[in-house]
Amino acid sequence: MLTERLDEARAALAQLDKQWKGQVACPDGETGGVISHAFGNVSLSRHIGPVGIRSVGLHEVVCGHDDGPASVLAWHLAQIGENKCETGPCGKSVFWIRQRRAIDQGRFYHLSLPDLASGPPPLMMTTGQQVTALWACEEVAKSGQVASVILETTDYGLTAARRLQLACEKAGTRLIVLRRAQQTNRLAPSSALTRWKIEPSDDRKTNSTGNIHHLSLIGGRGVRPGGWRVEINAATFSISVVNAMESRLPSDRAVRMRG
Amino acid sequence: MPLIITRVDPKGVLVCGLNGAAYQAGLHGAMRLSDARSILPDLTNIPEEPDRYQSELTRLIQFMDRYSPWIAPDRMLHTQSLQGDAGLWLDITGGSHLFGGESAMLGQVLRDVQARGMHARAAIADTAGAAWAAARCHPDAPDQRILHLPRDHRVSARFPVSCLRLTDDVLTLLSRLGLKRLGDITPLPRANITTRLGPDVLQRLDQFYGRLPEHLSFELPEHRWLIGRSFGEPLGDAVTLAQAVEAMMAELCERLRGENLGLRRVVLRCIQVDGHTHTIAVTTGSPCQIELHILRLLAEKMPGVDAGFGIEQVVLYAPWVEHVTFRQVRLDQKQDDSGGTIALAQLVDRITHHLGADDSLFYPGHHASHLPERAAVRQAVTGPVKPMRLDNVSLPRRPVRLIDPPEPVDILARSDTGTPIRLRWRKMIVEILRAEGPERICPEWWEHLDRHDFALSQQTRDYFRVCDQKGRMLWLFRSGSFGQDIWSVHGLFGG
């Protein structure tokens, strides 16, 4: 009897350990997938829970005064974990939808991406209308034919956000919305699972190479807001945590959350 | 040798066709045979054979199918006219570019008809009535008779009123009133035209200028991928129309599956009882046999179809079909990716059909150019996709976001080497802490062979990666000559 209980306890412990390391699907997510170790440091797990964040669904990246790192973060979030099947690349790519003039600091330049020789190239769409961008985003998310969708758009309503979230859950698609905060530094309500913000570090001593940034988790469902100092590797388009900052940054307090 | 064809009529035996020799001798259509013989006693006379005429007409329509599937013969003139002026209407909407443009297509039609031993007049216009008139009255050369209204309004104003296809009585009345050309009628008040000349004149005039539709009875050619349905009771609502289209599409796809073919383009034409015609064209990125997918694409455009007084004829036509690549199901029960490929192609079709003229869907590509804005190109989503990066081209570090066109900045202060240390960009002061560079990018001289070397040197760019006081990494470049250099921001790096 005691041996059986010990075996059960060991199995439960092993299962917990796997969940902690992000190797198994999230139990509460139907489609599974976790990004708890997305940035290569366990310090994030204190803020996003032991089993990580459900990768399937709507995530937001709020652009600060620099859209370059925000684009890298969006691409990084879109690429985590999903593009590899057991037998190799599963053939699903990223769909990048750009609404013109939604982000005024140029367009995404795909030649900055690392070589994607193993996977299919991303599909890209450019439109002038937000309604077309949202429609295409929902259509792609519902189809389940791409691993991730990145949407550059202006502010959108709570109804649109909820529709996109449901479309993602239906087909197991990850959606990263790249949006700019309003002039009042206030974010419109959204049903996003997580909301991120990344800005370059203005500390001249630590940021001598220009690739140190402040990454902030400014809200979401079941997450604790926090901040990290991260390093962006431009050659691989990857982000890794250098060290954890205070859980609440002064700049994050300025962003008032609603919804 | 003069030759005529005669028809037995209640008025007598009348001439209904003649060759060039007879025409030059002074004979004409509707002339009595006895009158013709008095001019040319040794005239050869052949009685008319309506069945043979009809079979030749059908053959001509089949021949014309190469230009357009929508061919309408002028039935009334073919059966009643004695002047030999019957003709065919070809709806070439959206198809002229396949022959090198309208003018080239017109010349091609004339040459092909002449090669079949016939003499013809042809014209291209915006409406059926205008085309009919231009073919007979346009002053330009036979292969240049193209009438675009209202641009060519002055040309059409000189057309005789007989080009409106009016009855002899009305034409006589117009002649007595001194109204001999279209330009004489158009300035008149519309109410007066109807009151004094009858409704036909105004109706034909409106059809000529496209203000009223003209119902053409298209002769559907015997085509394997064409399905036409005529309804005794016109379809009055969208639901019944959708049901009819669904049944026709299922039949068409079933035929295609039997031949292992797939649709690349399908055209749906709905013809109302009053002559209005709605045409919907749908193109797919890959050969498709799945009727549900095609119907979904059509459904996006179907709300634009107004049933009006009812739709009496629906035609479904596949002008472009291709062989479907045979996909073998894997025997080891592992996941087969062909289903995913088909689903992705269908997704691309749906999005492409929804996009507007200014929207685009593409795969990113790489062009072998040092200029950043030229290096990034777009690839079509249909067809083979090239890699996003060229293997044999090494590329230095590039910004994540490219500002195109580059935005010039105001230089406020410079260092000893001439690089800026403070500048104004978008009304903001940017202090530059560090700068890396330059990376010199020269213009492609082979693109500007007509220019002088000095002119090209003005376009040489020196790129710098600079870090500002907020930690941003900007991509600045300098162009122009020394002392008059222009600095611009061309992008932002991610880190």
Side-chain angles (χ1 to χ4, degrees):
Chain A
M1 181 68 77
L2 186 61
T3 313
E4 289 176 0
R5 286 193 175 183
L6 273 172
D7 289 342
E8 287 176 5
R10 283 196 190 101
L13 201 59
Q15 179 74 12
L16 196 62
D17 186 50
K18 281 184 178 177
Q19 286 181 2
W20 184 266
K21 291 176 180 172
Q23 294 173 356
V24 295
C26 175
D28 58 346
E30 288 182 5
T31 47
V34 292
I35 54 173
S36 63
H37 297 265
F39 305 104
N41 194 299
V42 79
S43 63
L44 271 76
S45 301
R46 192 163 69 90
H47 297 265
I48 55 182
V51 294
I53 299 170
R54 285 167 58 195
S55 64
V56 169
L58 172 63
H59 302 268
E60 283 187 0
V61 176
V62 180
C63 297
H65 58 268
D66 187 2
D67 297 337
S71 302
V72 176
L73 176 61
W75 181 264
H76 183 68
L77 288 173
Q79 288 287 317
I80 296 166
E82 285 288 333
N83 283 351
K84 295 287 181 183
C85 297
E86 290 179 1
T87 55
C90 59
K92 291 187 177 181
S93 66
V94 175
F95 199 109
W96 192 300
I97 300 171
R98 174 175 171 248
Q99 180 193 339
R100 275 190 219 97
R101 289 181 288 280
I103 292 175
D104 58 349
Q105 291 183 343
R107 60 179 164 87
F108 182 70
Y109 193 58
H110 67 266
L111 292 178
S112 65
L113 287 172
D115 192 14
L116 299 174
S118 58
L123 260 169
M124 300 189 122
M125 184 187 132
T126 308
T127 180
Q129 304 282 331
Q130 189 188 39
V131 63
T132 309
L134 291 175
W135 174 87
C137 189
E138 186 181 1
E139 194 75 11
V140 175
K142 266 194 303 192
S143 73
Q145 293 306 310
V146 295
S148 308
V149 185
I150 299 174
L151 170 67
E152 287 181 27
T153 186
T154 47
D155 273 341
Y156 56 101
L158 190 59
T159 309
R162 186 64 188 145
R163 281 183 68 110
L164 293 175
Q165 172 68 22
L166 289 172
C168 291
E169 288 176 356
K170 183 180 176 185
T173 310
R174 185 186 306 160
L175 171 60
I176 318 292
V177 177
L178 205 57
R179 63 189 293 191
R180 181 172 281 279
Q182 291 176 341
Q183 293 292 331
T184 55
N185 213 14
R186 177 176 290 185
L187 287 175
S190 168
S191 60
L193 297 176
T194 56
R195 285 175 144 185
W196 303 86
K197 187 175 184 182
I198 188 167
E199 286 180 317
S201 170
D202 53 1
D203 187 351
R204 299 182 185 183
K205 291 180 181 175
T206 56
N207 193 14
S208 59
T209 54
N211 56 0
I212 303 296
H213 294 75
H214 290 162
L215 174 68
S216 312
L217 179 60
I218 56 177
R221 286 199 225 163
V223 299
R224 178 184 172 191
W228 300 266
R229 185 170 287 119
V230 295
E231 181 178 6
I232 291 181
N233 187 343
T236 59
F237 253 60
S238 61
I239 301 174
S240 56
V241 174
V242 177
N243 59 354
M245 299 168 67
E246 290 190 16
S247 59
R248 269 288 194 187
L249 294 175
S251 59
D252 298 329
R253 290 196 194 102
V255 180
R256 283 177 287 175
M257 300 290 301
R258 292 194 312 175
Chain B
M1 176 184 175
L3 174 74
I4 60 169
I5 299 173
T6 54
R7 177 186 299 171
V8 179
D9 194 81
K11 296 177 183 174
V13 182
L14 304 179
V15 176
C16 64
L18 65 169
N19 66 355
Y23 183 78
Q24 285 174 358
L27 306 191
H28 56 82
M31 178 183 266
R32 290 177 189 277
L33 177 61
S34 54
D35 296 341
R37 282 204 183 281
S38 66
I39 298 172
L40 287 173
D42 56 345
L43 187 64
T44 306
N45 170 30
I46 300 174
E48 184 189 30
E49 298 177 45
D51 294 341
R52 192 173 167 190
Y53 181 87
Q54 187 59 39
S55 66
E56 283 293 328
L57 181 63
T58 306
R59 208 170 296 161
L60 182 63
I61 289 173
Q62 287 172 351
F63 175 75
M64 287 292 172
D65 183 39
R66 68 187 61 189
Y67 303 108
S68 168
W70 311 105
I71 302 166
D74 192 336
R75 286 283 170 205
M76 192 184 75
L77 288 181
H78 276 293
T79 53
Q80 297 175 10
S81 174
L82 298 169
Q83 304 292 338
D85 54 355
L88 298 175
W89 275 291
L90 275 72
D91 187 347
I92 58 163
T93 307
S96 59
H97 66 281
L98 301 173
F99 300 88
E102 291 181 345
S103 181
M105 184 179 186
L106 198 59
Q108 180 78 31
V109 170
L110 289 172
R111 280 193 298 275
D112 287 351
V113 172
Q114 197 168 9
R116 287 176 67 88
M118 287 181 279
H119 178 73
R121 296 169 295 188
I124 293 177
D126 300 331
T127 61
W132 195 96
R136 288 156 178 82
C137 311
H138 202 290
D140 285 354
D143 57 347
Q144 298 294 328
R145 291 176 178 173
I146 300 172
L147 190 72
H148 288 295
L149 295 172
R151 191 188 70 190
D152 296 332
H153 185 75
R154 288 186 177 179
V155 178
S156 65
R158 290 198 293 270
F159 287 177
V161 290
S162 59
C163 75
L164 290 179
R165 293 171 287 159
L166 298 167
T167 58
D168 292 340
D169 297 340
V170 178
L171 288 175
T172 307
L173 179 60
L174 287 170
S175 176
R176 284 178 183 168
L177 292 172
L179 303 172
K180 296 180 179 175
R181 301 190 180 278
L182 282 189
D184 300 334
I185 303 177
T186 46
L188 298 177
R190 293 172 63 86
N192 291 0
I193 294 175
T194 309
T195 309
R196 292 173 178 263
L197 305 173
D200 289 348
V201 179
L202 202 57
Q203 183 191 2
R204 289 296 190 193
L205 206 60
D206 286 345
Q207 286 177 344
F208 184 93
Y209 286 108
R211 291 188 288 260
L212 273 182
E214 182 161 0
H215 181 55
L216 299 177
S217 298
F218 289 105
E219 193 81 13
L220 299 179
E222 289 292 328
H223 204 288
R224 294 172 70 190
W225 317 123
L226 186 144
I227 297 175
R229 293 276 187 278
S230 297
F231 304 97
E233 185 67 28
L235 307 177
D237 55 36
V239 177
T240 49
L241 175 63
Q243 288 172 348
V245 173
E246 199 176 325
M248 293 164 72
M249 182 61 73
E251 186 182 339
L252 182 62
C253 287
E254 190 59 40
R255 285 188 201 173
L256 290 167
R257 275 193 287 271
E259 302 278 341
N260 194 31
L261 292 170
L263 285 172
R264 287 299 307 272
R265 183 175 172 83
V266 66
V267 179
L268 173 71
R269 179 165 284 211
C270 306
I271 301 162
Q272 292 180 7
V273 290
D274 58 355
H276 274 290
T277 304
H278 295 278
T279 305
I280 299 173
V282 162
T283 308
T284 60
S286 58
C288 179
Q289 301 173 330
I290 305 166
E291 56 261 38
L292 285 178
H293 175 57
I294 306 289
L295 287 170
R296 189 170 175 180
L297 296 179
L298 283 172
E300 284 205 16
K301 299 182 179 179
M302 288 291 272
V305 177
D306 178 21
F309 294 108
I311 291 170
E312 64 174 6
Q313 192 179 21
V314 179
V315 179
L316 195 66
Y317 175 51
W320 184 10
V321 294
E322 278 185 2
H323 274 280
V324 178
T325 310
F326 183 66
R327 296 185 181 93
Q328 184 173 357
V329 179
R330 291 179 62 163
L331 296 176
D332 57 359
Q333 301 298 316
K334 287 193 176 176
Q335 187 182 4
D336 182 18
D337 64 343
S338 63
T341 308
I342 295 170
L344 184 61
Q346 292 182 0
L347 172 69
V348 167
D349 284 343
R350 287 201 300 275
I351 293 175
T352 308
H353 279 84
H354 195 85
L355 296 183
D358 295 332
D359 306 335
S360 57
L361 179 68
F362 59 94
Y363 281 113
H366 187 187
H367 175 64
S369 172
H370 291 295
L371 296 174
E373 61 271 22
R374 286 200 66 197
V377 293
R378 298 176 173 186
Q379 301 185 62
V381 288
T382 56
V385 181
K386 294 177 184 172
M388 195 173 63
R389 279 257 192 109
L390 294 175
D391 295 333
N392 53 354
V393 178
S394 63
L395 204 61
R397 195 174 163 192
R398 288 290 176 254
V400 178
R401 300 198 75 89
L402 189 78
I403 298 175
D404 192 15
E407 296 179 358
V409 295
D410 299 329
I411 305 298
L412 304 179
R414 294 173 187 264
S415 67
D416 297 338
T417 57
T419 55
I421 54 175
R422 187 180 299 119
L423 54 90
R424 185 185 291 119
W425 176 48
R426 293 183 175 182
K427 299 180 182 177
M428 294 182 295
I429 301 296
V430 177
E431 290 190 19
I432 295 175
L433 307 181
R434 290 187 311 279
E436 296 174 18
E439 177 195 348
R440 174 157 289 188
I441 296 180
C442 295
E444 294 159 339
W445 56 266
W446 53 91
E447 298 281 342
H448 310 278
L449 288 174
D450 54 333
R451 292 196 183 183
H452 193 265
D453 288 346
F454 177 74
L456 283 183
S457 68
Q458 303 287 317
Q459 298 180 15
T460 301
R461 302 173 184 175
D462 288 333
Y463 279 89
F464 294 85
R465 288 181 66 234
V466 300
C467 182
D468 70 354
Q469 76 276 17
K470 291 181 179 176
R472 287 182 302 192
M473 296 292 289
L474 304 176
W475 207 32
L476 273 181
F477 74 84
R478 174 181 59 199
S479 59
S481 58
F482 183 76
Q484 296 177 337
D485 49 354
I486 301 168
W487 289 81
S488 309
V489 177
H490 206 179
L492 288 101
F493 289 89

